Structures are given as C-alpha cells and as structure tokens.
C-alpha cells in the first residue's frame, strides 16, 4: 500500500503578487511626494500660528495667518489683487518678447558667426555682469520713470540667459547633421527648422525657463523701487500703511506665481521634447 503523504509535504498554492496599475503607481508616488513636501510648510505654519497666538511679537510686526488670509480675501474681492497681478504679468510678457527676441538674435549671431564671437562677445560678457538694479539710474535718465522703465529693466534681465543659452545650443548642434544638411543643399530656413531647432531645443528651453525666472525676480525689484501698481507695489503699499499682512500676502503670491510659471514651462518642455523625438 502506498505510504500516506504527510500533510506538511503537500505543496502550498503559490500566491500571485498583486500588480499595481502603472498609472495608479505614478499618481501614488506623486501624492506621496506632494505630502512629503508639505511637511515643512505645515510645520512653519503651525509655528507661525503659535507665535502669533502667544504674542511673541506685536500684531503689527507678526500678523496671524488668519489675518493674512482675511487680507487676501479682501484684496481679491475688491479686485486690487487681480488688477495688480494682471499688470505685473503684462510687464513680464512684454519683457519676454522684447528681451527674448534680442537674446535670440544675439545668441544666433554669436553661435553662427565666429567673428562676432571674437569681436563682440567679450563686451557682452562685461555688460552681462551688471545687475538689473544697476541699470535703473541710467534708464531713468533716458526714459523716465514710466512704464518703459519697467519693461526695459526686466528685458535686460531676460536678454542675458537667452543669449547665453542660444549661443550654447547652436554650438552644441552635432556637426554631422549640418554636413548632411549641406549635402542635401538645405536653405537657411530649412537648416534652422529641421536641424538646428530640434537639436538645440533642450538648451534653448532651459534658457527660456531661466529667463522667465529672472524676469519675475527683476519685476519685483523694479516694482519695489519705481512703481505705482503691480504685485511688488502691494508690498510697498503695505509697508507704507504699516500693515504687514499685505506685505505677507504679496510675498506669498510672488512665490506661488513663480512656482506655477516654472511648472507650466516644465509641462511645455515635456511636450516639446516629444515633438523633438518625432522630428528626429
């Protein structure tokens, strides 16, 4: 008779590992990343609320989070917040068009012309060392303290990163691609559209992201110094009224808008990267 099998000798059924949908896994990782990044701001907010409730400093010097939120709602409902934000974004937009256009022309000149790089690039490097605030007295003499002053000052902050990154992007285009274009007798627009632009896109867009951030920072400086409206002026207005809650609202708004602009550009860059892979 066959020997009875021992119960422990019977193989147990193998449990299949539970697989998570890749899309769900990506969303879970993003949620975990966001929650982790929110720890420090929440701790600072709790410390801020505790300091305000314990009156470590007078309310005029340390407004409570509730007062800041209330001021934000009042500014939004009155329209002052959106009106000043729209003016600031308009200034940044015009400055990006003007400074970005000049930067692309200069960067293309330095990238394609060896003579221009030898004769003009050293002078550009010297001028690029001047901060935006150093140009303001000279600009006031020539254009006054009106709107052109703001746009030109912010444009100067945009020109430098766009010029440098454009020149670098053109210099990094693989020479074999240019040789192939020469063999096929591409015209200059064809070379730019089919060879230079796809190859230089990552570096060019990196320069654009730097330019946007520099424009946003320069905007705050300019509006703090010489402006009667805009997000930066809200800080000046709050300081003049001795209402630091308005200053804090403007500071938080500046930080949030800067982050949103960078995230928006990151999404656009991702789309363009897909187009670049298809182009090649």
């Amino acid at each position: 008779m066959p020997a009875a099998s021992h119960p422990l000798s019977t193989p147990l059924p193998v449990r299949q590992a539970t697989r998570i949908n890749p899309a769900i896994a990506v969303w879970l990782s993003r949620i975990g990343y966001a929650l982790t990044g929110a720890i420090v701001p929440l701790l600072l907010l709790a410390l801020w609320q505790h300091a305000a409730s314990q009156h470590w400093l007078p309310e005029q010097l340390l407004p409570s989070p509730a007062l800041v939120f209330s001021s934000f709602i009042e500014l939004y409902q009155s329209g002052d917040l959106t009106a000043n934000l729209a003016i600031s974004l308009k200034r940044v937009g015009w400055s990006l068009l003007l400074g970005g256009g000049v930067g692309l022309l200069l960067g293309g000149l330095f990238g394609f012309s060896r003579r221009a790089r030898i004769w003009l690039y050293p002078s550009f490097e010297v001028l690029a060392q001047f901060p935006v605030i150093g140009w303001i007295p000279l600009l006031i003499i020539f254009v006054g303290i009106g709107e052109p002053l703001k746009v030109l000052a912010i444009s100067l902050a945009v020109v430098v990163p766009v010029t440098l990154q454009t020149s670098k992007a053109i210099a990094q285009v693989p020479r074999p691609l240019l040789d192939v274009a020469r063999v096929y007798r591409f015209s200059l627009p064809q070379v730019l559209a089919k060879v230079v632009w796809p190859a230089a896109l990552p570096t060019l867009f990196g320069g654009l992201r730097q330019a946007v951030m520099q424009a946003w920072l320069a905007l705050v400086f300019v509006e703090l110094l010489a402006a009667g409206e805009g997000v930066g002026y809200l800080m000046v207005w709050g300081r003049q009224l001795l209402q630091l809650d308005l200053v804090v609202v403007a500071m938080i708004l500046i930080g949030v808008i800067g982050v949103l602009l960078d995230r928006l550009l990151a999404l656009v860059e991702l789309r363009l990267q897909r187009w670049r892979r298809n182009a090649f």
Side-chain angles (χ1 to χ4, degrees):
M1 294 180 64
S5 59
H6 195 276
L8 296 179
S9 64
T10 304
L12 298 175
V14 179
R15 297 180 62 182
Q16 295 183 353
T18 304
R19 295 183 177 180
I20 302 177
N21 190 317
I24 297 178
V26 170
W27 278 107
L28 289 176
S29 63
R30 290 180 178 177
I31 292 174
Y33 178 79
L35 292 176
T36 303
I39 292 176
V40 173
L42 290 176
L43 290 176
L44 292 176
L45 181 61
L47 178 62
W48 178 14
Q49 176 62 40
H50 179 71
S53 62
Q54 296 298 318
H55 301 287
W56 290 358
L57 290 174
E59 191 175 30
Q60 293 79 7
L61 299 179
L62 184 64
S64 65
L67 178 59
V68 172
F69 182 74
S70 176
S71 299
F72 170 78
I73 296 299
E74 290 179 4
L75 286 173
Y76 177 77
Q77 291 178 345
S78 65
D80 290 335
L81 188 66
T82 53
N84 284 282
L85 179 59
I87 292 171
S88 295
L89 292 176
K90 182 180 178 181
R91 288 169 178 163
V92 170
W94 282 113
S95 300
L96 287 173
L97 288 176
L98 179 59
V102 173
L104 285 174
L105 291 176
L106 288 176
L109 182 64
F110 294 148
F112 285 112
S113 175
R114 185 171 178 270
R115 290 184 178 180
R117 190 170 184 87
I118 293 174
W119 286 92
L120 300 178
Y121 191 75
S123 300
F124 173 80
E125 278 189 313
V126 173
L127 294 177
Q129 305 306 314
F130 285 84
V132 174
I133 194 173
W135 290 98
I136 290 181
L138 188 63
L139 291 175
I140 290 176
I141 295 175
F142 287 99
V143 300
I145 59 173
E147 196 65 20
L149 169 67
K150 288 83 168 175
V151 175
L152 288 176
I154 302 169
S155 299
L156 290 173
V158 173
V159 168
V160 175
V162 173
T163 301
L164 295 177
Q165 293 300 319
T166 302
S167 176
K168 180 180 177 181
I170 295 174
Q172 290 179 347
V173 174
R175 295 303 166 189
L177 294 178
L178 296 176
D179 294 337
V180 171
R182 191 176 298 110
V183 169
Y184 282 96
R185 297 182 179 180
F186 281 4
S187 63
L188 180 59
Q190 288 177 320
V191 172
L192 294 176
K194 296 184 178 181
V195 179
V196 175
W197 172 245
L201 182 61
T203 306
L204 284 174
F205 209 86
L208 176 61
R209 292 181 67 177
Q210 292 181 21
V212 171
M213 292 300 101
Q214 290 296 324
W216 189 244
L217 294 175
L219 169 79
V220 177
F221 281 118
V222 171
E223 289 182 344
L224 283 174
L225 291 175
E229 49 193 359
V231 178
Y233 175 71
L234 287 178
M235 300 177 66
V236 179
W237 185 35
R239 179 183 60 82
Q240 292 174 345
L241 297 177
L242 297 178
Q243 295 181 352
L244 291 189
D245 50 310
L246 299 180
V247 177
V248 176
V249 168
M251 291 173 60
I252 295 175
L253 183 64
I254 290 169
V256 170
I257 295 299
V259 172
L260 291 178
L261 288 175
D262 186 65
R263 293 294 182 268
L264 178 61
L265 290 174
L267 291 176
V268 176
E269 184 178 13
L270 182 61
R271 299 274 184 174
L272 291 178
Q273 289 286 5
R274 294 175 182 173
W275 170 84
R276 178 176 179 265
R277 288 193 293 268
N278 295 332
F280 280 112

